[in-house]
Amino acid sequence: MKKRFDKAPFFLSKEDIDQVDSLVSKMNVDEKIGQLFCLVTYAPKEDEIKETLDKVKPGAIMFRPMAIKDAIRTRDLIYKYSKIPMLIAANIEAGGNGIVTEGTKVGCEMQIAATSNPEYAYQMGVIAGKEAREVGCNWAFGPIADIDLNFRNPITNTRTFGSNPKTVAAMSEAYIKGVQDQGLAATFKHFPGDGVDERDQHLVTSVNDFSFSKWSKTYGMVYKRCIKAGALTCMVGHIVLPRFMHKYYPDIKDEDMLPASLSKILIGDLLKKRLGFNGLVVTDASTMAGMCSAMSREKLVPTAIAAGADMFLFTRNLYEDLGFMKEGVKSGIISSQRLDEAVKTIVALKVKLGLFKKSNPYTYDKAKKTIGCNENLAVAEEVADKSITLVKNNRPGVLPISPKKYPRVLLYSLESQQGFAYTVRKGAIESFQKMLETEGFKVTKFNNNMGYEGRLLPESYFKDNFDLIIYVANIGTRSNQTTVRIEWAMPMGINVPIMYKVIPTIFISIENPYHLLDVPRIPTFINTYSATDTTLKALVEKLMGRSEFAGHSPSDPFCGKWDTHL
């Protein structure tokens, strides 16, 4: 399907289209190839940025979260050394915290969905866009339009708007409108849809094994809503859609099926032709094993563009991948027509965003006033208040709590290891403990070294010394893990909840909504979805009975098990 820049989502005028054609016609082949790359930066390293922009001339760069001053310094270096304005991207899927450490985290996607109000998804897009543009960002890698249909998936989880396709569609559409109202390009991801497989595409080529009919009613419906909402870009994942292939391409062998990021069939036929997407297509990170294991790197790099992706996200080795792309153009893997189409799409997006005519009105002082401002934090507070979910409360009288009712609290802390990305907030449980102590509770943190098998502390010790047991699990999704489960301490699971029949016990998960799988018979279970101090403060208000639990589970916290309801 040939790109039409006068149609959705670009709607460029004839003058704009002429500008795109003129700009691309003046580029040599090496400059065109540079435009295909979206690189990544972590800090304002001038020598490195200058060298990269001089030698590669990339079309885009993604910012990992950094301090405001560092983000602005990096932006200014990019403006200084780039001949052609660059797309500056960030994972601002939950708020401005995705690009600057001082940014507002409005709430993870599942937390937003727990409010049952798409207006908060819109506000999240608005706040993310406002804060990110202050440091130069013009490209939002969000919303996540995946559907969390498999509670065992270790990466979708709270990064999704839940398991109801209609909710995911409504929330994704609202976010797109919010962030694009701020002048940024939205990106729905990860086509053709994560959340069915229990495996992580960082580690393997994952599979969406839905029939095409079922896919169309779920993921396909969500993508159509995103496209109709005007999303300017789509990120294709390292995910195979085998039953679509079997239905429409019966001659293709299973071993020849490629992830969407490398598949001309999935990008060209399904995304562009059948769904009608006319915007920019970017691959998910090309360093993920889900892409790298499909073919040799030398072939993989140009194949992504030949298949219909317009931009190639990240590199394994910058100059080697650049060489592979150049060789792919030279050998004809990427035709001159496909190269020009991809580059024109990239430049059209830049024209759409006004990057060739905008001055830079954003200063450090203005950024400090906007990012993390009270107005934005107030929205995060509303989200926290309306999202925290009392999943079950099968022991009447446990809630509400108070220092008079339960003066002595035994706190069990369950925390996952820190990871590279999508990791938990370190120290969240300690913050919660301090909040309880400020309320007047005497809190004792459980020590895993309280004896050994045959010589453990007796049950009478706990009954005599504690009035309430609270478990807090801070175990979240992170890249390159295979499961999100509680790992209990030795000996014999010394910290497993076994005394809820004799001592009132509350289990609180501040990250992963599916811990009932491992504590099925806990009578009182709460999901907060996020571990920000804003959320923890709202949690304490609800535990103390000063605020009602208002959230609704966006997915099945009972994990389909009969005993989790007990």
Side-chain angles (χ1 to χ4, degrees), residues 29 33 264 299 302-303 305-307 324-339:
V29 172
I33 290 171
K264 185 177 290 188
K299 185 179 179 183
T303 294
I305 304 301
F324 288 155
M325 194 72 81
K326 288 181 177 181
E327 185 58 34
V329 171
K330 184 179 178 181
S331 68
I333 293 176
I334 304 173
S335 68
S336 59
Q337 181 181 3
R338 174 81 270 269
L339 176 62

Side-chain angles (χ1 to χ4, degrees), residues 378-442:
V379 176
E381 289 171 1
E382 285 185 36
V383 168
D385 178 59
K386 290 176 168 52
S387 62
I388 296 173
T389 307
L390 180 60
V391 175
K392 68 173 182 176
N393 188 25
N394 292 345
R395 183 169 175 176
V398 171
L399 294 173
I401 67 174
S402 69
K404 183 176 181 181
K405 185 177 179 181
Y406 303 122
R408 302 166 302 172
V409 176
L410 177 61
L411 177 66
Y412 284 81
S413 174
L414 307 171
E415 199 158 37
S416 62
Q417 297 177 2
Q418 300 300 299
F420 170 70
Y422 320 126
T423 186
V424 299
R425 172 198 163 202
K426 189 175 182 180
I429 298 177
E430 286 72 14
S431 292
F432 175 70
Q433 179 178 343
K434 289 177 182 177
M435 292 177 190
L436 289 181
E437 290 171 341
T438 300
E439 292 287 348
F441 294 96
K442 180 183 178 182

Side-chain angles (χ1 to χ4, degrees), residues 542-566:
K542 294 176 189 306
L543 289 172
M544 303 279 294
R546 298 192 290 256
S547 172
E548 297 292 326
F549 287 92
H552 298 87
S553 295
S555 57
D556 178 19
F558 300 100
C559 304
K561 306 294 185 183
W562 71 270
D563 57 341
T564 53
H565 292 270
L566 298 176

Side-chain angles (χ1 to χ4, degrees), residues 124-145:
M124 183 164 69
V126 169
I127 291 169
K130 278 184 178 179
E131 295 192 351
R133 76 183 184 192
E134 291 291 334
V135 295
C137 181
N138 47 50
W139 192 7
F141 281 171
I144 293 180

Side-chain angles (χ1 to χ4, degrees), residues 516-537:
L516 273 175
L517 182 70
D518 290 321
V519 291
R521 295 171 186 262
I522 281 285
T524 305
F525 186 95
I526 297 166
N527 274 327
T528 74
Y529 312 101
S530 178
T532 63
D533 273 345
T534 299
T535 301
L536 297 178
K537 289 174 183 176

